[in-house]
Amino acid sequence: MTNIGEKVVCLVAYHIFFMLFVWSYWKTIFTLPMNPSKEFHLSYSDKESLEREPRGESQQEVLRRAAKDLPIYTRTMSGAIRYCDRCQLVKPDRCHHCSVCDKCILKMDHHCPWVNNCVGFSNYKFFLLFLAYSLLYCIFIAATDLQYFIKFWTNGLPDTQAKFHIMFLFFAAAMFSVSLSSLFGYHCWLVSKNKSTLEVFRAPIFRHRTDKNGFSLGFSKNLRQVFGDEKKYWLLPVFSSLGDGCSFPTCLVNQDPEQASTPGGLNSTSKNENHLFPAKPLRDSQSHLLTDTQSWSEISAKPEKGKVGMSNPALTMENET
Ligand SMILES: [Zn+2]
Ligand SMILES: [Zn+2]
């Protein structure tokens, strides 16, 4: 490069991409995964009665009692309350036990060996930005190196050791760009659908049915759940996700007949399913996520005894990784 202006632009751009890449990578690695709050842990007496109860049905009864006031909608495949016997807690929706961390992780996406950390509610935004900035960084390097790479093959470079660095640098940057772009594209799709990697492999099971899009609220709201309401924080690796990680609004929460307006981005199929959900307290985090669609509310119907959810009383422990 001979032009001084070109040099300055390249150096500034390089350091911006590099800084954002390192910052988001650092945050993804060192942000501790969030675990379920105290209220999801069984009380001492519940733990005792769970150990005492010999049968699955009685154990389920203990768990149903413990989960009575918790904002949970998802169940195991057999319709039982999701319970982690290692952490001894009722699993919040979208929470899974990581066998590597040996803990229950809120909104667990996957355990990532590249960052040696669980990717979940606390660092999912950082992980996305890490993918985005590492991709930009690699594309920038490949693009600025391209002209010298071409010169390498046309013998236009001085005959020194450095010319091999140019070739290897281009190959490394181009290869990482290809793999990162597919991973980043995949996670963009997940965000737009409000799914986690685990939920793609096993769709969340709600009280009466499985719904792979059960947590999707429409593109804009799905995006805001991860990146937050304030656009100025979207591109920075600072925590701005909405909610508390323990409870999530779902499109399957029924519509309040008192309200006339229909919220956008919600499944029309979710209407007429009022009977499916028991009364559960709507948390502040959920209320916040639904503030601009006041037409959603919880129902007061009690779960009917003897229906699905009780039909298979076995206490199901999920084997999740
Ligand atoms: Zn656990
Ligand atoms: Zn983990």
Side-chain angles (χ1 to χ4, degrees):
M1 265 180 211
T2 47
N3 188 325
I4 187 80
E6 207 181 341
K7 281 182 186 172
V8 170
V9 169
C10 278
L11 271 175
V12 170
Y14 174 86
H15 283 96
I16 288 174
F17 291 142
F18 182 68
M19 192 197 71
L20 287 166
F21 158 62
V22 172
W23 186 9
S24 52
Y25 191 37
W26 179 277
K27 292 283 280 186
T28 313
I29 296 170
F30 292 107
T31 302
L32 289 175
M34 270 171 70
N35 313 115
S37 56
K38 243 189 186 158
E39 60 199 297
F40 289 89
H41 287 78
L42 290 194
S43 66
Y44 184 72
S45 59
D46 280 342
K47 278 182 205 164
E48 271 199 330
S49 37
L50 206 61
E51 278 162 21
R52 253 197 332 265
E53 298 298 346
R55 292 178 304 116
E57 170 59 25
S58 324
Q59 289 186 331
Q60 264 301 295
E61 195 52 51
V62 173
L63 290 178
R64 267 197 296 273
R65 220 171 38 237
K68 189 163 57 73
D69 296 321
L70 295 174
I72 52 171
Y73 299 103
T74 53
R75 298 287 185 269
T76 65
M77 269 154 90
S78 62
I81 299 280
R82 297 170 71 239
Y83 175 71
C84 178
D85 58 339
R86 284 196 66 83
C87 308
Q88 296 193 308
L89 52 81
V90 173
K91 287 182 189 171
D93 290 344
R94 314 187 84 178
C95 169
H96 298 276
H97 187 89
C98 174
S99 55
V100 182
C101 304
D102 199 23
K103 274 180 189 156
C104 274
I105 311 292
L106 293 182
K107 200 188 173 190
M108 181 177 166
D109 191 87
H110 66 288
H111 187 93
C112 180
W114 291 88
V115 297
N116 191 30
N117 197 4
C118 243
V119 176
F121 178 75
S122 63
N123 61 353
Y124 189 59
K125 182 194 165 191
F126 306 149
F127 177 73
L128 281 173
L129 291 178
F130 155 62
L131 291 182
Y133 289 130
S134 50
L135 177 60
L136 271 177
Y137 183 65
C138 287
I139 289 174
F140 178 82
I141 288 174
T144 49
D145 193 29
L146 181 63
Q147 54 175 313
Y148 305 103
F149 180 72
I150 292 168
K151 278 184 188 165
F152 173 87
W153 295 104
T154 53
N155 294 320
L157 288 179
D159 201 14
T160 61
Q161 283 277 313
K163 71 181 205 174
F164 289 100
H165 295 173
I166 283 172
M167 185 183 69
F168 290 125
L169 181 67
F170 183 82
F171 274 127
M175 280 188 322
F176 273 105
S177 300
V178 170
S179 49
L180 279 167
S181 58
S182 55
L183 190 59
F184 181 60
Y186 175 64
H187 278 279
C188 286
W189 175 77
L190 288 181
V191 170
S192 74
K193 298 281 178 191
N194 205 339
K195 290 179 190 181
S196 67
T197 303
L198 289 177
E199 284 162 359
V200 171
F201 289 103
R202 193 197 289 174
I205 301 158
F206 294 85
R207 258 182 68 82
H208 286 241
R209 66 168 182 160
T210 301
D211 191 326
K212 59 184 189 335
N213 291 314
F215 292 108
S216 181
L217 304 170
F219 178 76
S220 161
K221 284 184 182 167
N222 293 345
L223 194 72
R224 282 198 288 135
Q225 267 201 21
V226 176
F227 289 94
D229 283 329
E230 297 199 61
K231 287 187 181 158
K232 63 183 174 187
Y233 295 126
W234 282 12
L235 298 181
L236 294 178
V238 290
F239 187 81
S240 58
S241 303
L242 299 183
D244 60 3
C246 284
S247 59
F248 297 89
T250 158
C251 60
L252 300 176
V253 176
N254 62 301
Q255 197 168 11
D256 184 352
E258 303 266 291
Q259 303 277 342
S261 66
T262 305
L266 293 155
N267 267 345
S268 55
T269 52
S270 62
K271 291 174 187 173
N272 306 322
E273 288 177 357
N274 299 4
H275 60 288
L276 298 183
F277 295 97
K280 288 287 190 311
L282 195 65
R283 290 185 159 211
D284 286 350
S285 58
Q286 282 198 337
S287 307
H288 176 60
L289 287 163
L290 296 172
T291 41
D292 54 351
T293 54
Q294 292 289 320
S295 51
W296 296 93
S297 73
E298 294 283 298
I299 50 162
S300 57
K302 292 272 183 267
E304 289 177 64
K305 291 218 163 195
K307 292 273 168 143
V308 180
M310 301 239 186
S311 56
N312 190 341
L315 174 62
T316 307
M317 312 298 184
E318 295 185 348
N319 296 317
E320 288 159 338
T321 52

